[in-house]
Amino acid sequence: MQQISDFIENITDFINEHKKSLVAVLCVLLCFLTFSAVIIYFYQVHQQQLNKPKPKEPEPPLILSQPLLVPEGPMLPEGYIKSREPKRVWTQEETAQWFTVPDEKTVKDLEKANDSFISDVVGAAP
């Protein structure tokens, strides 16, 4: 323990005797570190600018020499309507044509699927 206390005392004496020179050395060291940081910063910025991709030249506009042809698609069945105005009330004929009453098995399967989904979402929550 005596060695450590002697070492600390020697350092304290050295600092007390050379305060001005230590301040000068610390200032020079701080200036050197600042200058080095500025140089490294500008070097990094310069490297990023060199590695930046060059802008591409714009492609020339497309000039059509022939009119565009619409490709042939599947043929629509007879009586197919692409869009229509929705009706607020259906007639009995439309209801009979488009609405299917689900049977008991379909309702039970849907209920089972919904219960399963709800239990997955809720999980083990109380």
Side-chain angles (χ1 to χ4, degrees):
M1 288 309 253
Q2 184 64 27
Q3 292 175 349
I4 294 175
S5 62
D6 289 342
F7 179 72
I8 292 173
E9 187 177 324
N10 288 339
I11 290 177
T12 314
D13 290 342
F14 180 78
I15 291 173
N16 288 335
E17 290 175 11
H18 301 95
K19 278 188 180 181
K20 288 185 180 181
S21 59
L22 284 175
V23 169
V25 168
L26 288 176
C27 287
V28 168
L29 185 62
L30 183 64
C31 289
F32 174 74
L33 290 175
T34 304
F35 185 69
S36 299
V38 168
I39 288 175
I40 291 172
Y41 172 75
F42 283 123
Y43 177 76
Q44 290 291 332
V45 168
H46 180 69
Q47 286 297 321
Q48 286 178 356
Q49 288 178 351
L50 288 178
N51 294 338
K52 188 182 286 186
K54 296 186 172 121
K56 295 180 183 177
E57 291 185 20
E59 295 182 12
L62 180 64
I63 300 172
L64 298 176
S65 59
Q66 298 176 351
L68 290 176
L69 298 175
V70 178
E72 291 184 22
M75 298 303 291
L76 296 177
E78 184 68 32
Y80 184 82
I81 301 172
K82 292 183 181 179
S83 65
R84 65 178 180 87
E85 291 287 327
K87 295 182 180 179
R88 287 193 175 273
V89 178
W90 284 10
T91 63
Q92 286 295 332
E93 294 82 31
E94 290 173 332
T95 304
Q97 180 182 2
W98 299 111
F99 185 71
T100 306
V101 178
D103 59 348
E104 188 66 30
K105 182 184 180 304
T106 307
V107 173
K108 290 291 184 190
D109 290 343
L110 180 63
E111 181 180 354
K112 186 177 176 182
N114 286 341
D115 289 343
S116 173
F117 178 71
I118 290 171
S119 68
D120 288 346
V121 171
V122 174

